[in-house]
Amino acid sequence: MASIEEVKAALMQAAEQSANALNQIRSATEQTEQVLTRLRAVAAGTNHPKVAEAIQRAEQTRQRLAEAATLIQGSGGAAREYVSVLG
């Protein structure tokens, strides 16, 4: 069985990994915004359904990344809170 200190250390590592994942999600969100900007610029000159589909999928990606960011942030926060509970 792990000691309380080992559990706390593992929780803090998980919280740090959550923060790293959050940074990666933010980077992916920025890149998705760039994709949307380019697609919208292209869409200004066409009504092609594939361009509209590409924009829709990129917007869904942005939404899901926002959801993922919220979830991973909550995960890291919960891990830190449990460290506080452990004392």
Side-chain angles (χ1 to χ4, degrees):
M1 182 183 261
S3 71
I4 289 178
E5 291 305 317
E6 290 171 329
V7 170
K8 287 168 55 174
L11 287 167
M12 289 309 296
Q13 287 175 342
E16 288 175 18
Q17 287 175 324
S18 294
N20 289 337
L22 181 60
N23 288 334
Q24 291 172 351
I25 292 168
R26 286 179 178 152
S27 176
T29 300
E30 289 174 19
Q31 291 175 23
T32 301
E33 289 294 338
Q34 292 174 2
V35 167
L36 279 165
T37 299
R38 287 191 176 121
L39 288 171
R40 287 186 179 124
V42 168
T46 183
N47 290 344
H48 198 279
K50 287 299 179 182
V51 175
E53 179 184 347
I55 291 170
Q56 178 191 21
R57 289 177 184 258
E59 287 174 347
Q60 287 176 346
T61 300
R62 181 181 58 195
Q63 291 170 353
R64 290 185 180 162
L65 285 168
E67 292 170 14
T70 299
L71 292 169
I72 198 67
Q73 195 169 22
S75 174
R80 286 185 193 89
E81 288 173 16
Y82 189 49
V83 169
S84 296
V85 169
L86 293 175

